[in-house]
Amino acid sequence: MTSTQRLPFLKGHGTENDFVIVPDPDGRLDLPATAVARICDRRAGLGGDGLLRVVRSAVHPEARAQADEAEWFMDYRNGDGSIAEMCGNGVRVFARYLLHAGLVEAGDLAIATRAGVRRVHVAKTGDVTVSMGRAELREESVVVSVDGRSWPARNVNMGNPHAVAFVDDLAHAGDLLAVPPFSPASVYPDGVNIEFVVDRGPGRVAMRVHERGSGETRSCGTGACAVAVAAARRDGVDPTETGTPVTYTVDVLGGSLSITELPDGTVEMTGPAEIVAEGTFTPAWMGAALA
């Protein structure tokens, strides 16, 4: 990038989990972690829980193997610049951007991610549905602690790691400014997203979440999926055994998501995704961020 080039960006959110979107179809932009963190800074940058770089799969070394299935790769970064495998709300916003930019038509499409190809249905307006793959429930015992209280947590992997703790009151999660202590640390060598969950009624739960590299966010799509699967197992329901889909509404701080686990174990997430703004970075600011 030269000092006279203006790099475009967009801003979007899914249930108030917000992202900076950077189109880079030919994969020419090198975005180091420090630059991503500066872009996502809510005071000195644009602000966002994360960044979605839009790259053609064929030109990205981590996505070339998926290019035959999915033309576009979601290069997702956490707000601190670290790389993440997946982001459920991010996939919905990514799909909404592709439609907004005229790169795809409404309907079914595939998006490449570091956790594999995700199948998406995006309407011209309204909700976006993502097939999130199967949840992997691991057997390791995990304990999460906040302010002297401790809870057992369910270890669920949705392409990225989650620890799901059912609590009596969401306030028990504390301020979530720092990563809640969990043990044993060896279960999550690359860090973990931690969800605190309360019941809201039959088939409905509410959650707060601390996301790796971002802190507390208003929503977490993979986290909502992990919570729904953990709630179903706690309630004695496994669609792969009953042959009947199960759906939970998961309330997050930024809205609600509908999560359905199908008899084949696939988890589908449905929720809103919106593009709210677009513009360009000033060359001087972006040049300094990339320096």
Side-chain angles (χ1 to χ4, degrees):
M1 179 178 178
T2 69
S3 61
T4 59
Q5 287 178 315
R6 288 187 172 271
L7 180 69
F9 72 85
L10 298 91
K11 186 73 184 291
H13 78 95
T15 50
E16 299 183 8
N17 196 187
D18 62 333
F19 308 96
V20 178
I21 304 160
V22 177
D24 183 27
D26 298 323
R28 296 176 177 173
L29 184 63
D30 180 20
L31 276 180
T34 52
V36 173
R38 187 164 181 180
I39 290 168
C40 292
D41 189 293
R42 296 194 181 277
R43 294 184 181 274
L46 290 174
D49 293 322
L51 183 144
L52 310 174
R53 186 167 70 111
V54 184
V55 190
R56 283 192 173 87
S57 300
V59 300
H60 197 288
E62 294 181 81
R64 287 192 185 113
Q66 303 175 68
D68 289 343
E69 291 184 76
E71 181 180 2
W72 297 99
F73 172 61
M74 182 181 77
D75 177 14
Y76 178 66
R77 315 291 184 88
N78 294 313
D80 67 354
S82 59
I83 291 173
E85 304 91 341
M86 244 301 283
C87 177
N89 289 319
V91 171
R92 296 202 319 279
V93 173
F94 191 94
R96 178 61 67 202
Y97 163 76
L98 293 177
L99 182 63
H100 170 87
L103 299 173
V104 301
E105 295 183 354
D108 297 328
L109 64 140
I111 294 172
T113 78
R114 290 186 176 88
V117 174
R118 294 294 182 257
R119 307 289 171 179
V120 180
H121 181 84
V122 56
K124 288 184 178 179
T125 60
D127 288 346
V128 178
T129 297
V130 182
S131 180
M132 298 287 288
R134 295 170 62 99
E136 181 181 350
L137 287 89
R138 300 179 176 177
E139 296 304 318
E140 299 98 334
S141 296
V142 182
V143 174
V144 175
S145 302
V146 177
D147 295 334
R149 295 186 177 95
S150 295
W151 306 269
R154 192 70 190 255
N155 184 353
V156 185
N157 193 288
M158 285 300 311
N160 56 358
H162 296 268
V164 180
F166 291 91
V167 299
D168 294 327
D169 189 328
L170 289 180
H172 291 169
D175 59 26
L176 291 182
L177 295 176
V179 181
F182 61 89
S183 62
S186 59
V187 174
Y188 300 110
D190 298 317
V192 62
N193 304 291
I194 300 177
E195 289 80 25
F196 297 87
V197 187
V198 297
D199 288 298
R200 285 275 174 86
R204 192 173 199 121
V205 295
M207 61 174 263
R208 289 176 62 198
V209 58
H210 184 283
E211 288 196 61
R212 285 184 307 174
S214 297
E216 182 172 21
T217 58
R218 302 281 295 173
S219 179
C220 176
T222 56
C225 293
V227 163
V229 172
R233 299 302 182 274
R234 182 205 58 176
D235 295 340
V237 179
D238 185 344
T240 65
E241 296 179 356
T242 64
T244 303
V246 60
T247 298
Y248 281 80
T249 297
V250 181
D251 295 330
V252 295
L253 296 179
S256 297
L257 295 165
S258 178
I259 311 297
T260 298
E261 188 179 9
L262 302 174
D264 66 358
T266 300
V267 179
E268 291 186 341
M269 172 185 59
T270 299
E274 187 174 7
I275 303 299
V276 299
E278 53 188 314
T280 56
F281 295 97
T282 62
W285 188 91
M286 196 64 201
L290 291 170

